[in-house]
Amino acid sequence: MGLLSLLVIALTLSFPRSFITFVHGDIPTTLDGPFKPVTVPVDKSFRGHAIDLPDTDPRIQRRVQGFEPEQISLSLSANYYSVWISWITGEYQIGDNIKPLNPVTVASVVRYGRSRFLLSHQATGFSLVYNQLYPFEGLQNYTSGIIHHVRLTGLKPNTVYFYQCGDPSIPAMSEVYSFKTVVASGPRNYPSRIAVLGDLGLTYNTTSTVDHMISNDPDLIILVGDICYANLYLTNGTGADCYSCSFSQTPIHETFQPRWDYWGRYMQHVISKVPIMVVEGNHEIELQAKNQSFVAYSSRFAFPSKESGSHSTFYYSYNAGGIHFIMLGAYIDYNKSGNQYKWLNRDLANVDREVTPWLVAAWHPPWYSTYKAHYREAECMRVAMEDLLYKYGVDIVFNGHVHAYERSNRVYNYSLDPCGPVYITVGDGGNREKMAIEHADEAGNCPEPDTTPDDYMGGFCAFNFTSGPAAGKFCWDRQPDYSAYRESSFGHGILEIQNETHALWTWHRNQDLYNNAGDQIYIVREPVRCPTEPQR
């Protein structure tokens, strides 16, 4: 054993974990930046093969009987002492003559405790059934199984609990599962590893992403929109990589809702044990009769909306140790006069940075992306909200939507700023629509400005730049200074908060070995240099 190895062992035994993070000199920190932009050349062999799992795959077939629970998942409440447990009982129906199940006929019960053999506590919740209906002849309607949501309260932090869910009176109870609560809020308490991914879908690339993610043993999963891509299918199950290209004559944008059930069954082995927090993407719109939208998304997941004061499934907040997470909606009113903006202002004003030093935000379409796909599409949201996030010192922003990976330098209003957030796009989870490979700054790729407004929210805010190297232009003619690293590959990221000021971010590519890093950096907070708005 060499002298260096002995020194590292001695340091490990003598100092806490937060110190050890500073001896890894080979990993850059944001204090070393801003970095010169890096573009990894496209490996086109990883662009294709985004093939959906077929409905014959045993991992997505129904494996329970009668009203036994399936598609079991966990999500956090606003604080460590509470979690939500969700599941589905009964079979969905799809066709012309569907008859919704009655949710009151099956109870929503969770038995839980700190021993697998003594589930001494019991909680009850509520249940619902949702429909996806189309008022056009030939389209098949859908009604879900009974969806159950139960909130457990009074839990201890950083503690393993065992649980089973279902209706004991039938009886129809699940197996016994377990989960670990997050650590209590505090400046020295953090989850070990937080997985971040987006645009996941249900392809063979998805399974590779999830397998890689599992190997990193996350304590929490954040999914920044575009979940199962049910809207790439007609109601008869026929699918395509590009819906509008293949089905341009359909009277309404159809969806094949069973893909939601397939996704829930496939993911159960992970999210029945590890909490998952989701936010809506454009593929969750799913327009149906009576102009309803986002019904499946809002029904299938439990959200800490009421607990965080938002009363909306589109935006909410929660704590995980010393991190305050804000999940924002890009497909609901984000203007300063709207409810979301007012809620966000209140939520940010009430964050105590002495208790939760880290402030992390997530939503679906990125504000800072240099890819041609969806270029500056969310500009109106940025114009409305960026000042507020900057004012309160948001540290990191996670987005999806663009099917590639990109990490920014610290940026504010398109200018390098040491107090701006680091923006990270992880829309490369494995979806069927394949990778984004073209950059807006490359010759011939700059889109016309009038093609960039968000089709759903409307409005146009993306004008030519008025200052800086791109003044008078809609796109830069080279990789912008605010773009530090970009690469077109499938993958996921892991966030490890080390202490009040240092966080390790690692992006893992699917084509690499499990323990390899495609991109890695320490994100460093500078609260003295960048003071935030004081708590109200």
Side-chain angles (χ1 to χ4, degrees), residues 63 182 190 231 317 354 440 453:
R63 297 184 295 274
V182 295
Y190 298 98
N231 74 337
S317 65
E354 296 296 321

Side-chain angles (χ1 to χ4, degrees), residues 280 294 310 312 314-315 327-344 380-382 384-385 454 456-459:
E280 78 280 1
F294 296 100
S310 84
S312 170
F314 292 90
Y315 54 90
M327 312 291 273
L328 298 179
Y331 304 99
I332 192 172
D333 186 6
Y334 41 67
N335 293 312
K336 295 181 179 180
S337 60
N339 290 333
Q340 178 176 208
Y341 186 94
K342 294 175 182 177
W343 167 84
L344 177 61
C380 287
M381 185 183 180
R382 185 194 69 81
M385 289 187 161
D454 180 4
Y456 187 74
M457 291 304 298

